[in-house]
Amino acid sequence: MADATRDIERIYSTPDVVAKLRRLADALESGTSFRIQIAGERFRVPARAEFSIEHERGDGEEEVEFQLKWKLDSEDDDADDEAVV
């Protein structure tokens, strides 16, 4: 359900993160979309997504956040045959 509000953070094993990042890097490099599954929900990240990296520091900890953001479009719901990671 793409229209439902969702805001989650999930901890993954190193091998799972490596697989997701490798697919992300391949998609960014080739300018293509990719399908991903996070916390049980599968969705497609379009090639037009904007990529940002954020760094936060405070209260004795630091955080680096890799973020992809895009506007929803009717084409985002199209099914494709890409593998899901």
Side-chain angles (χ1 to χ4, degrees), residues 4-80:
T5 299
R6 185 175 194 225
D7 186 4
I8 62 161
E9 183 173 329
R10 195 62 85 145
I11 303 297
Y12 286 97
S13 70
T14 298
D16 286 344
V17 171
V18 168
K20 290 177 188 303
L21 289 175
R22 185 165 286 126
R23 284 188 33 84
L24 170 60
D26 290 346
L28 289 172
E29 188 172 55
S30 66
T32 60
S33 66
F34 67 104
R35 292 186 60 76
I36 189 168
Q37 180 171 326
I38 300 174
E41 184 173 326
R42 294 177 187 170
F43 55 95
R44 182 178 154 278
V45 178
R48 72 178 187 286
E50 293 180 340
F51 186 80
S52 64
I53 301 173
E54 183 178 327
H55 174 238
E56 296 178 26
R57 179 183 299 135
D59 298 330
E61 64 182 20
E62 293 193 51
E63 178 179 333
V64 173
E65 188 173 300
F66 296 88
Q67 182 172 298
L68 289 159
K69 190 181 283 191
W70 64 96
K71 297 283 186 191
L72 293 178
D73 187 331
S74 61
E75 292 180 14
D76 291 337
D77 294 331
D78 290 347
D80 55 41

